[in-house]
Amino acid sequence: SPIITLSAGPVDAYPVVLRALSRPVTYDFDPSFQKFYESTVLKTAESLGTARPPVILQGEPVLGLEAAAAALIGADDVVLNLASGEYGKGFGFWAARHCRELVEIEVPYDDAIDPEAVSDMLKARPDIRILSVCHHDTPSGTVNPVREIGAICRAHDVLTIVDAVSSFGGMDVHPEDVNADIFVTSPSKCLGGSTGLCIVHVSERAWAKIDANPAAPTGSVLSLKDWRDAWRPDVLFPFTPSVSEIHALDAAVQNYLDEGPEAVWARHALTARACRAGVRAMGLDLWPVRESICADTATTVRVPAGLEDAAIRQEARRRYGVVFSAGRGSLLGKLVRIGHMGPVARPIYAVVAVTALGGAIAALGGRADVGAGVEAVLAAIDGAE
């Protein structure tokens, strides 16, 4: 079995989360659990930098993203979807189910969206009502400037859906700071939690739009409305919540708050920066077209000519017990993804990543100067002292 999981998610859970998963499973309508659920939701709101209780949906983040599209987008809406990677592009397929017209700005999947292009599109199409954007498009390892994009949208009175699944908790991104009307994230990435929930912030503007949308689901697993007030002890749950997953969420969020968000973001950033330095020093190429759009929560590396990504990942796992992620969709076979999330977002894991990646490439006959890579990682770490 693998020793170290450096995937782009899900990631290793913190020990405190694993302990929380072992707590007794109580009746969900027991008053003690209802109060615990309330405290967990309010604690999660604190971590999001908002006083608004988020909706906790009982499934992984795809549920939250699909639910956001179903709830917010009405039959007469024009939606602008920003596609800079597989996940951003993918949201457009959900949006298209519900809207009158889907408009897209698409860039190569090693690049990021230019806010000026968004501004120009909103000026050209004043009928656009909703914009969707993925902050960290995990298959590409690239980040979009959601703060700038959100400000532009607010100036045009456009509602925004932000996918922050693999950035929140590892980078400085919060729903109200980026003017997100729906902000979807997960405990199973940077928070180092378990995999069975998603966290959905909904703004007052978004709730008003959802309430006015006759097609917004109710009585459905996709319903945001059904769970809107479920955090209150005097409101019945729409259906049984995952008691164990709520215990894990509480532990993950408390762990994040106890360490201090700024400290958590700093170690994610340093780990990624050191890893990128090591990759370059080995003579390998980063996937993003420029380093300024590289994520702090994952590093993507172009597969060297003559080698196969699957062989590299298999060799790293077999030889060193280290697990990396493959590309997704159109990027499958073109890159290898190294995750820096949660417990492994510590600089020493950049040494592990560079050693395992370079060692696997060298073992397969490729060129990778592992020694230079490790020295570059250590120099980046030491330079941060």
Side-chain angles (χ1 to χ4, degrees), residues 67-369:
L72 194 67
I73 300 171
D76 292 330
D77 288 327
V78 178
V79 175
L80 173 58
N81 185 53
L82 305 183
S84 61
E86 290 290 333
Y87 287 173
K89 182 70 172 180
F91 187 85
F93 300 120
W94 289 319
R97 294 178 185 170
H98 307 285
C99 67
R100 173 167 62 84
E101 182 184 356
L102 180 72
V103 180
E104 283 196 325
I105 297 174
E106 188 166 9
V107 298
Y109 291 179
D110 58 359
D111 208 342
I113 300 293
D114 181 355
E116 285 302 311
V118 175
S119 181
D120 291 344
M121 180 66 79
L122 295 182
K123 290 173 184 175
R125 291 293 305 267
D127 55 341
I128 291 171
R129 185 76 194 279
I130 296 167
L131 175 142
S132 51
V133 58
C134 183
H135 181 214
H136 171 210
D137 211 301
T138 326
S140 302
T142 54
V143 290
N144 283 309
V146 290
R147 192 167 271 101
E148 293 85 349
I149 291 168
I152 292 166
C153 289
R154 185 55 58 92
H156 287 266
D157 197 27
V158 170
L159 295 163
T160 59
I161 299 171
V162 175
D163 173 350
V165 170
S166 61
S167 58
F168 172 74
M171 301 171 66
D172 182 6
V173 60
H174 302 86
E176 293 175 359
D177 293 343
V178 301
N179 289 303
D181 291 293
I182 296 187
F183 181 97
V184 180
T185 191
S186 168
S188 69
K189 300 272 191 175
C190 303
L191 290 177
S194 54
T195 57
L197 301 176
C198 64
I199 301 163
V200 186
H201 166 87
V202 184
S203 73
E204 185 176 353
R205 293 184 345 139
W207 279 127
K209 175 73 164 65
I210 292 167
D211 287 340
N213 180 11
T218 57
S220 165
V221 72
L222 288 176
S223 178
L224 294 179
K225 293 177 72 172
D226 289 355
W227 287 91
R228 179 176 184 170
D229 296 319
W231 62 276
R232 292 170 40 188
D234 60 333
V235 174
L236 298 178
F237 295 120
F239 55 83
T240 305
S242 175
V243 173
S244 295
E245 292 280 352
I246 298 301
H247 288 157
L249 173 62
D250 177 76
V253 172
Q254 188 64 57
N255 184 67
Y256 174 68
L257 295 173
D258 286 346
E259 182 175 350
E262 291 82 0
V264 178
W265 309 333
R267 62 177 169 82
H268 279 78
L270 177 55
T271 305
R273 186 166 68 249
C275 188
R276 294 194 299 266
V279 167
R280 293 195 311 270
M282 286 197 294
L284 303 175
D285 294 323
L286 297 170
W287 175 259
V289 70
R290 56 191 178 280
E291 191 161 352
S292 62
I293 62 170
C294 289
D296 288 344
T297 54
T299 295
T300 46
V301 183
R302 291 180 184 267
V303 174
L307 296 182
E308 295 183 357
D309 77 302
I312 295 171
R313 290 183 290 103
Q314 289 166 6
E315 189 66 16
R317 189 183 192 280
R318 185 192 70 81
R319 186 175 290 262
Y320 304 110
V322 175
V323 173
F324 300 127
S325 289
R328 301 293 297 268
S330 65
L331 303 183
L332 181 62
K334 297 179 180 179
L335 54 84
V336 172
R337 297 186 290 156
I338 304 166
H340 319 297
M341 301 181 196
V344 298
R346 299 188 182 279
I348 194 62
Y349 285 105
V351 176
V352 174
V354 165
T355 302
L357 179 65
I361 288 171
L364 294 168
R367 297 187 63 176
D369 189 337

